[in-house]
Amino acid sequence: GVGKTAISAMLSSRYLEVAALHLCKFGHSQKSDPRCVVTSIVFQLCTQLPEYEARIAAMDIERLARDDARSLFDNLLVQPMAKLNPPNRTVIILIDAIDEATRDGRNELAGFIAAEFPKLPTWLRLLITSRPEKAVTAPLQNLNAFVLDTETEANRADLRDYLRHE
């Protein structure tokens, strides 16, 4: 591939701003299920944001766990985050390889993200890696995309320099 997961792994290991990392994987239904993505992100954010973790700990998680993805997102992310004091840093949620969540030409996770993530506070940012597939780019068209074109001469020069060095 292009190296999306390698880039995501490097970013999550080097930058404290990356507070949650979700890795999509082709053929793994839990990795593309919006409910599972929400619960994974909530757990990881709890480990990074003590005030948020205290709010989640005070909730009836067993009851909330039966909710659908949109309800979980609202109850476990939107509502508690709206009540938090903004941290002194940007907090990033990184979702890697969202294109691998595409099934039968449709990407439910991309549609879910497009509909729900804009409801979060501005200090909480979203970074997504993906191939430029229509099932992903169409629902996410309102997001600010940075295209990493692997075919440019500058990228090929970077690869040649890396290989010479190694």
Side-chain angles (χ1 to χ4, degrees):
V2 173
K4 298 182 305 284
T5 302
I7 291 169
S8 294
M10 184 273 302
L11 290 172
S12 67
S13 68
R14 288 190 186 175
Y15 295 96
L16 293 176
E17 293 86 355
V18 179
L21 169 64
H22 181 81
L23 305 167
C24 296
K25 184 176 179 183
F26 182 77
H28 193 302
S29 61
Q30 289 180 338
K31 298 288 187 175
S32 58
D33 175 26
R35 285 185 85 256
C36 293
V37 174
V38 170
T39 57
S40 172
I41 289 169
V42 167
F43 172 79
Q44 292 177 71
L45 291 176
C46 282
T47 69
Q48 302 296 310
L49 302 168
E51 185 184 354
Y52 174 68
E53 193 256 343
R55 289 194 180 274
I56 297 298
M59 296 178 162
D60 183 356
I61 298 297
E62 286 186 36
R63 181 186 60 78
L64 292 172
R66 294 182 221 123
D67 287 342
D68 63 22
R70 291 187 195 282
S71 298
L72 277 175
F73 191 88
D74 185 63
N75 292 326
L76 296 178
L77 285 166
V78 176
Q79 300 300 324
M81 289 290 178
K83 298 172 185 168
L84 292 184
N85 294 314
N88 59 359
R89 65 183 169 107
T90 298
V91 176
I92 298 171
I93 296 170
L94 174 53
I95 299 177
D96 177 62
I98 195 171
D99 55 292
E100 294 192 22
T102 301
R103 298 285 174 271
D104 301 320
R106 189 169 168 270
N107 194 307
E108 180 185 1
L109 184 55
F112 177 81
I113 288 168
E116 301 303 320
F117 271 82
K119 299 172 184 175
L120 292 172
T122 57
W123 53 264
L124 189 60
R125 304 288 174 89
L126 179 64
L127 179 60
I128 298 171
T129 66
S130 177
R131 290 185 198 106
E133 295 178 357
K134 187 172 177 103
V136 174
T137 58
L140 298 176
Q141 64 186 323
N142 290 330
L143 298 181
N144 185 15
F146 173 81
V147 177
L148 179 61
D149 185 355
T150 59
E151 299 300 317
T152 66
E153 183 52 40
N155 282 335
R156 289 181 183 179
D158 283 347
L159 284 172
R160 282 191 295 274
D161 290 345
Y162 173 78
L163 290 172
R164 275 190 217 104
H165 179 266
E166 290 302 310

